[in-house]
């Protein structure tokens, strides 16, 4: 598009001219240029210069020699003339001083106007007269002068303006007025001009079809000047169609030049039409128009010797349209997505432009290759220049001081164009077009089309012997073809790549491209190539051709072939094939260990399988198998070629295996199985298999596991037989190139001494013993881990939230060595459930032991894992021994308690009356009364426990009693299931409502000398303390004797300061005769006592029920009736004989009823 | 005249590609088929909003080249058929009809128990049948 002159590319702009008053020109030009639509200004400083806009005298043409008889269709400079030299309006600027006053000045004005009128008359240019007036002298100008001026200029009143330059607002008004007049007159001018030409067109008032086209063009341009796009488009189309009819009918010029001219004009008209359509947003119409234009002129190639001109022309059509489309897409790309159709893409047109330019290049080459194409001397074509008509060329004859143009013959013209074509750089242009197309396709994510453009670019680079760039492009696009399996396209690209590397003399590249080409799958139903005109340097893709390539490459690597590409001792070639390499099709190595776990020093089988898709058998000289443990590496040597290959870089004690022949056939696994011994434990992995062919060529393949081998690229789409890499299908399915070498068997015993269940609270000691049987122990280490048997760790999820040391149910406290004192320096790391203990170095036969201390806070079974890691020899890999033991944690004792009131003494506790039953609320104790607390403890374990002491620790904020006296002199043994009871007296002395009883503290140990004391604490529940208003106590002797009377008192003590009314009644008993009051109501005085006394005589012996006294307090509506036990007495038949010593002390260790009394004051 | 017909698999790999020209331009036709896959991708990824296109297997004219027209067809198993013809004035109905016949030939070929899905179609019967279909079809409205 840049080839076109600027006046064609941009829409025409109105031109006006201003004459005189040069100081105002800049102001006026700037203003007019910023008008909408803009107006260009042709500023003439004074009236002597007006001849530039005058019509050129026609006589000039007559000076040409008679050989210049023909005219053309369009003049090259017609449009530029109208845009730069022929104004639509001329404005004559006069100063007001010139009008008034001096007649000489006025005369000058008149002369100037006359001259101007004479000049513009031929062109019908509109005239405007502007009188420049100073702001303060604007009233001096007389009306009659203005009328005279108007008459002189023969203008209407409105075309004679005043212009006031020295006042801002007036200046602005003047400029606007001027702009408006100019725009109006310009439209008139272009309309009149257009109408004038159109008239001729309508009357068919023209001599030849060329004029028809020229008139159409002119009318269209005039329409464009006044922005009538519809009219312009219609006239351009008319001209275009008229031009189409000229082909074959016109005989004006020699045939070739005639066609060239027609095409040049068609190009210009088409360009105008396309621009108008695209600017109007009619993309679809523009494309349709382009398609029509293309189909009209495609076939019009002209004679074969100049058809390159046609291709060049066609290429330019596409390029220009692509550029137009691109710029219109860029401006329209607001919001809407690009249209889907391929024809809407500039990339498509760029690509075709490149394609046609390539055609042109080919044609030029053919033309140049003809022997008589190039003229002997370039003199004839030197002086040929473009003529005044578009698309025409003439010879410029230099006639001394003047030069004339002479028409040329077709032969001269061909000569000229061939010379011009020889100079052009077609390759660069083609590459530039393809690059544009490639970028546009890449932007729209059309990778395949972009790849094609890239391939064409690469071929162009290749043809211009820029092999490095060509190779760069080709290397990038082969990936797509490989991935999508387009073998033919890949073959084409690889053929060029191979040729590039040959020309760049790069042996590794040449060999790898050759190998890849040779290993490509062939099309299944490929017919034999019919023709030999193949553009690809590698020839057509056929079995014959791949075999040729295969043979050639192996001749090179075996150094049996001497060409440009060489492999020798100075240029060794080493190829590497990894998982993503395209050369996997050439050599695929698959390594499988037959066992997943092997013992150290034990041989295991490993199968190396190799597959090649090369078309002919390949013989390998050596195969080196490398492992990550280099001691295992070995080499397989082909016996047949042993002498031909040098064993290089081989460790002297490297294992060498020999096979009679090592040959790979197409698509057939070569399977080799050998045994391997590993000395080190850990991973044993096959890393590489290196195939050596010839003395200086090797291929290093990364070993692959059959279990996770990916498909071969390209070949995966082929319908071929796929054998498994190993004979054993199980190994082929799951075999790996890695095996695990186990560590040697441990020869150290790890013993965890078990002593039954652990008890909560104690420091449970677990002995761990190491006995070395066959190994010394170096840098040994014990790892100890406590794990919940349920496997969720030692914390329940809820408790884990407020995790602290107290919440741990089981805790590893530490390790103590039983025999020697543990060094304080030795590193011991303990967490709550994990410990690390260093083990001293031991010799064979030695043993070492330690004790683990574990404490349970709650009853819980746990799993103890102990593992020993050690080195049998200093520095060697570690050997591990693992042991585990499940340990139960049990509750050792259960502590319970009971509170009792003293025998036959009952304080009235009001809370007991109110409470319906003993639910929930704590028990109440009467203040200042002694109550009895019985604490009993039961051994729940399966081992006897020795009880050391049992105390009640009162709460700290209370006055503590004598709790130090809890030692039991005999340290009673509590057998499993036995119960121990102890009695305490409790006397609340202060009148607190709430009494904290403190906690029971039990000190015990296992019944063995070594075990340590354990304290088990249990908190006693809180009690209420209240003041009893009344206390009823019954008094009677401990026993009675038949027939002997005794006294039975019921005392009612009033502790209040109130008078208490009580009722009492007594029920008779058959066993007794009694005397005393039966029923009555009486009053007890404050802080005094009322005593009911009865005299009783037992009538029978045995355990007898005393007569029951019922006492009712009226004030508290509380009744009292003694319990059955309290009102029972044993009556002896006669007076018994007691041994009093037995009563004073009981054997505390015997039986379940053992206990002792103790008083605590709280 | 139909110059090339191709079956393209899921990974945009050619399963069957056959050209029917005397001239040695197989490579060029392969390039055309390969590039037309860009258009197929685009059509499939940006389906038109209008109703009839939703379940349509026939993709229509893909690619206007200077000398050829390329048509596409997408089966319900996402296998693509690409047709390249030199007839520039073709009715869609004819192309649809051709693709229908071609599709049924393809179905018979892949229904062969010895055919592995996703591999190239190597059946000679299929090749013969395709060549018969191609010979019998004439897109030219004139002829």
């Amino acid at each position: 598009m840049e080839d076109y002159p600027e006046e064609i590319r941009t829409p025409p702009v109105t031109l006006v001219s201003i004459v005189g008053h040069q100081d105002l020109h800049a102001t006026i030009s700037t203003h007019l240029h910023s008008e909408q639509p803009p107006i260009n200004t042709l500023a003439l400083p004074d009236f002597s210069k007006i001849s530039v806009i005058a019509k050129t005298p026609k006589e000039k043409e007559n000076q040409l020699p008679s050989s210049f008889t023909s005219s053309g269709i369009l003049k090259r400079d017609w449009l530029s003339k109208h845009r730069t030299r022929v104004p639509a309006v001329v404005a004559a600027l006069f100063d007001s001083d010139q009008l008034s006053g001096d007649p000489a000045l006025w005369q000058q004005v008149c002369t100037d106007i006359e001259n101007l009128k004479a000049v513009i008359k031929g062109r019908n240019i509109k005239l405007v007269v502007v009188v420049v007036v100073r702001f303060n002298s604007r009233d001096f100008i007389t009306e009659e002068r203005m009328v005279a001026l108007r008459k002189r200029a023969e203008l209407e009143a409105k075309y004679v303006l005043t212009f006031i330059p020295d006042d801002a607002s007036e200046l602005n008004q003047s400029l606007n007025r001027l702009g408006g007049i100019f725009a109006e007159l310009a439209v008139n001018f272009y309309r009149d001009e257009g109408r004038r030409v159109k008239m001729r067109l309508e009357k068919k008032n023209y001599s030849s079809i060329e004029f028809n086209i020229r008139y159409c063009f002119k009318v269209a341009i005039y329409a464009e000047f006044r922005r009538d796009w519809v009219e312009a488009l219609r006239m351009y189309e008319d001209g275009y169609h008229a031009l189409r009819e000229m082909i074959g009918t016109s005989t004006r010029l020699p045939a070739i030049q005639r066609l060239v001219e027609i095409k040049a004009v068609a190009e210009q008209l088409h360009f105008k039409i396309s621009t108008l359509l695209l600017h109007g947003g009619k993309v679809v119409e523009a494309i349709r128009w382009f398609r029509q234009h293309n189909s009209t002129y495609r076939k019009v190639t002209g004679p074969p010797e100049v058809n390159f001109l046609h291709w060049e022309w066609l290429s330019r059509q596409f390029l220009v349209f692509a550029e137009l489309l691109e710029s219109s897409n860029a401006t329209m790309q607001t919001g809407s997505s690009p249209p889907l159709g391929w024809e809407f893409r500039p990339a498509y047109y760029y690509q075709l432009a490149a394609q046609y330019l390539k055609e042109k290049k080919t044609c030029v080459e053919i033309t140049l290759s003809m022997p008589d194409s190039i003229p002997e001397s370039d003199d004839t074509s030197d002086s040929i220049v473009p003529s005044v008509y578009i698309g025409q060329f003439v010879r410029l004859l230099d006639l001394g001081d003047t030069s004339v143009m002479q028409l040329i013959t077709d032969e001269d013209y061909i000569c000229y164009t061939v010379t011009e074509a020889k100079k052009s750089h077609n390759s660069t242009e083609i590459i530039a077009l393809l690059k544009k197309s490639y970028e546009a396709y890449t932007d729209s994510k059309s990778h395949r089309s972009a790849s094609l453009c890239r391939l064409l670019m690469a071929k162009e680079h290749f043809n211009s012997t820029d092999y490095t760039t060509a190779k760069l492009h080709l290397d990038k696009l082969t990936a797509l073809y490989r991935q999508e399996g387009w073998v033919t396209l890949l073959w084409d690209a690889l053929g060029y790549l191979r040729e590039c590397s040959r020309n760049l003399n790069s042996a590794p590249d040449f060999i790898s491209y050759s190998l890849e080409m040779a290993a490509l799958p062939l099309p299944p139903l490929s017919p034999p190539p019919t023709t030999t005109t193949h553009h690809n340097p590698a020839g057509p893709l056929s079995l014959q051709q791949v075999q040729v390539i295969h043979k050639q490459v192996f001749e090179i690597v075996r150094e049996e072939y001497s060409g440009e590409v060489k492999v020798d001792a100075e240029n060794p070639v080493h190829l590497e094939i990894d998982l993503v390499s395209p050369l996997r099709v050439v050599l695929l190595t698959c390594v499988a260990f037959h066992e997943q776990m092997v013992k150290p020093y034990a041989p295991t089988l490993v199968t190396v399988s190799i597959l090649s898709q090369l078309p002919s058998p390949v013989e390998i000289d050596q195969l080196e198998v490398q492992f990550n443990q280099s001691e295992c590496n070995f080499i397989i040597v082909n016996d047949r070629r042993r002498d031909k290959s040098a064993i290089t870089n081989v460790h002297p004690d490297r294992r060498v295996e020999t096979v009679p022949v090592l040959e790979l056939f197409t698509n057939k696994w070569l399977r080799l199985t050998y045994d391997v011994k590993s000395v080190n434990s850990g991973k044993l992995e096959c890393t590489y298999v290196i195939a050596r062919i010839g003395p200086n060529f090797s291929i290093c393949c990364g070993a692959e596991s059959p279990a996770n081998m990916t498909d071969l690229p390209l070949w995966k789409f082929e319908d071929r037989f796929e054998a498994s890499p190993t004979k054993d299908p199980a190994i082929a399915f799951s075999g790996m190139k890695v095996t695990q070498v186990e560590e040697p068997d441990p020869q150290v015993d790890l013993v965890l001494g078990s002593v039954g269940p652990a008890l909560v609270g104690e420091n449970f000691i677990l002995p761990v013993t190491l006995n070395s049987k066959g190994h010394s122990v170096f840098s040994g280490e014990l790892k100890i881990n406590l794990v919940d048997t349920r496997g969720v760790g030692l914390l329940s999820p809820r408790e884990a939230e407020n995790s602290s040391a107290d919440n741990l149910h089981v805790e590893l406290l530490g390790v103590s060595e039983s025999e020697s004192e543990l060094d304080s320096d030795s590193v011991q790391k303990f967490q709550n459930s994990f410990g690390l203990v260093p083990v001293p170095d031991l010799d064979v036969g030695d043993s070492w032991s330690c004790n683990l201390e574990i404490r349970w806070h709650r009853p819980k079974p746990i799993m103890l894992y102990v593992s020993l890691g050690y080195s049998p020899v200093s520095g060697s890999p570690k050997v591990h021994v693992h042991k585990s033991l499940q340990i139960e944690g049990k509750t050792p004792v259960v502590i319970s308690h009971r509170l009792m009131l003293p025998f036959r003494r009952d304080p009235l506790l009001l809370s007991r009356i109110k409470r319906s039953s003993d639910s929930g609320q704590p028990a109440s104790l009467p203040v200042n009364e002694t109550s009895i607390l019985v604490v009993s403890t039961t051994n729940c374990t399966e081992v006897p426990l020795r009880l050391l002491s049992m105390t009640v620790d009162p709460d700290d904020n209370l006055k503590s009693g004598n709790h130090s006296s809890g030692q039991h002199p005999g340290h009673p043994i509590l057998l499993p299931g036995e119960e121990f009871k102890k009695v305490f007296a409790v006397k609340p002395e202060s009148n607190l409502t709430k009494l904290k009883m403190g906690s029971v503290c039990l000190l015990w140990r296992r019944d063995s000398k070594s075990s340590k004391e354990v304290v088990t604490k249990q908190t006693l529940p809180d009690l209420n303390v209240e003041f009893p208003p009344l206390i009823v106590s019954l008094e009677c002797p401990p026993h009675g004797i038949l027939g002997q009377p005794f006294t039975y008192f019921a005392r009612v003590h009033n502790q209040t300061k109130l008078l208490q009314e009580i009722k009492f009644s007594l029920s008779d008993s058959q066993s007794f005769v009694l005397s005393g009051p039966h029923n009555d109501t009486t009053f007890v005085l404050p802080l005094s006592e009322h005593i009911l006394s009865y005299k009783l005589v037992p009538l029978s012996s045995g355990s007898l029920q005393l007569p029951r006294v019922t006492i009712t307090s009226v004030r508290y509506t509380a009744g009292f009736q003694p319990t059955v036990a309290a009102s029972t007495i044993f009556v002896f038949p006669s007076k018994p004989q007691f041994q009093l010593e037995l009563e004073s002390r009981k054997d505390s260790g015997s039986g379940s009823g053992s206990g002792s009394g103790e008083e605590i004051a709280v | 005249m139909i110059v090339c017909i191709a079956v393209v698999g899921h990974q945009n790999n050619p399963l069957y590609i056959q050209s029917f020209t005397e001239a040695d331009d197989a490579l060029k036709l392969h390039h055309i088929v390969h590039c037309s896959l860009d258009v197929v991708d685009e059509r499939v990824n940006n389906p038109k909003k209008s109703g009839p296109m939703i379940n349509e297997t026939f993709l229509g004219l893909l690619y206007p080249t200077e000398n050829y027209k390329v048509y596409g067809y997408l089966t319900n198993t996402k296998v693509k058929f690409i047709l390249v013809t030199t007839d520039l004035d073709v009715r869609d109905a004819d192309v649809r009809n051709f693709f229908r016949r071609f599709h049924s030939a393809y179905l018979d070929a892949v229904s062969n128990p010895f055919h592995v899905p996703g591999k190239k179609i190597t059946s000679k019967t299929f090749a013969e049948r395709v060549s018969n279909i191609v010979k019998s079809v004439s897109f030219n409205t004139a002829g």
Side-chain angles (χ1 to χ4, degrees), chain B residues 68-80:
Chain B
Y68 306 106
K69 277 189 185 270
V70 186
Y71 288 87
Y73 185 91
L74 184 70
T75 71
N76 41 11
T77 53
K78 309 289 174 227
V79 170
K80 294 148 208 154

Side-chain angles (χ1 to χ4, degrees), chain B residues 37-52:
Chain B
L37 294 176
D38 276 338
V39 194
V40 175
D41 275 2
E42 203 172 84
R43 294 257 167 110
V44 172
N45 294 335
N46 311 308
K48 283 185 188 161
K49 302 292 183 292
S50 55

Side-chain angles (χ1 to χ4, degrees), chain A residues 398-462:
Chain A
D398 199 3
L399 304 172
D401 53 347
T402 175
S403 55
V404 290
M405 294 178 179
Q406 184 191 25
L407 282 186
I408 50 174
T409 58
D410 268 359
E411 285 71 36
D412 285 343
Y413 180 68
I414 292 171
C415 195
Y416 165 72
T417 50
V418 168
T419 319
E420 288 295 308
K422 233 167 77 177
K423 294 180 198 159
S424 61
H425 302 282
N426 287 320
S427 282
T428 328
E429 286 169 36
I430 293 171
I431 289 167
L433 287 174
L434 286 168
K435 191 149 193 283
K436 272 188 164 176
S437 179
Y438 165 75
E439 279 160 6
Y441 277 130
T442 311
D443 285 346
S444 62
K445 299 208 165 40
S446 306
H447 297 300
R448 297 179 190 87
S449 307
S451 291
L452 176 60
C453 290
R454 198 161 207 178
L455 179 69
L456 295 173
M457 262 156 88
K459 285 183 181 174
E460 209 50 52
H461 281 296
F462 180 85

Side-chain angles (χ1 to χ4, degrees), chain A residues 988-1058:
Chain A
E989 286 171 344
S990 56
N991 195 359
L992 287 162
T993 49
K994 200 100 176 172
L995 176 67
K996 288 198 171 155
M997 290 271 280
S999 51
V1000 180
C1001 220
L1002 192 67
L1003 192 67
W1004 56 272
R1005 61 175 168 83
R1006 284 179 184 244
D1007 191 19
S1008 62
K1009 289 262 167 63
S1010 59
S1011 61
K1012 288 182 180 166
E1013 293 172 354
V1014 182
V1015 177
T1016 304
K1017 269 195 173 184
Q1018 184 167 329
T1019 313
L1020 291 170
D1022 294 346
L1023 290 174
N1024 285 335
V1025 177
E1026 58 182 88
F1027 175 75
L1030 296 172
I1031 297 173
V1032 179
S1033 51
L1034 303 174
E1035 278 179 24
C1036 76
H1039 53 83
I1041 295 160
L1042 187 68
Q1044 287 198 2
F1046 64 92
T1047 320
Y1048 175 46
F1049 300 102
R1051 295 164 187 261
V1052 180
H1053 187 97
N1054 179 7
Q1055 300 209 81
T1056 63
K1057 292 179 179 169
L1058 302 166

Side-chain angles (χ1 to χ4, degrees), chain A residues 826-880:
Chain A
S826 65
V827 186
Q828 288 190 45
K829 289 173 189 163
F830 286 104
Q831 285 167 355
N832 290 323
S833 59
F834 182 75
L836 207 57
V837 184
V839 177
D841 293 349
L842 300 177
D843 285 337
V844 177
D846 284 358
S847 71
W848 178 82
S849 68
C850 65
N851 288 326
L852 303 184
E853 271 185 52
I854 308 168
R855 177 181 286 173
W856 271 256
H857 297 284
R858 302 258 181 96
K860 189 176 186 67
I862 60 124
M863 204 70 178
L864 171 72
Y865 291 98
V866 179
S867 63
L868 167 70
Y870 70 95
S871 310
V873 185
S874 181
S876 67
K878 287 210 166 182
V879 180
H880 291 91

Side-chain angles (χ1 to χ4, degrees), chain A residues 792-848:
Chain A
V792 292
L794 288 173
L795 294 172
S796 64
R798 194 175 302 157
E799 283 164 340
E801 288 164 13
N802 50 356
S803 170
S804 69
D806 295 341
N807 282 334
L808 270 180
H809 297 173
V810 187
E811 198 180 356
L812 183 64
L813 294 177
V815 177
S816 61
E817 285 189 53
S818 54
E819 286 161 12
S820 59
E821 280 297 310
L822 201 66
D823 288 341
S824 56
D825 296 341
S826 65
V827 186
Q828 288 190 45
K829 289 173 189 163
F830 286 104
Q831 285 167 355
N832 290 323
S833 59
F834 182 75
L836 207 57
V837 184
V839 177
D841 293 349
L842 300 177
D843 285 337
V844 177
D846 284 358
S847 71
W848 178 82

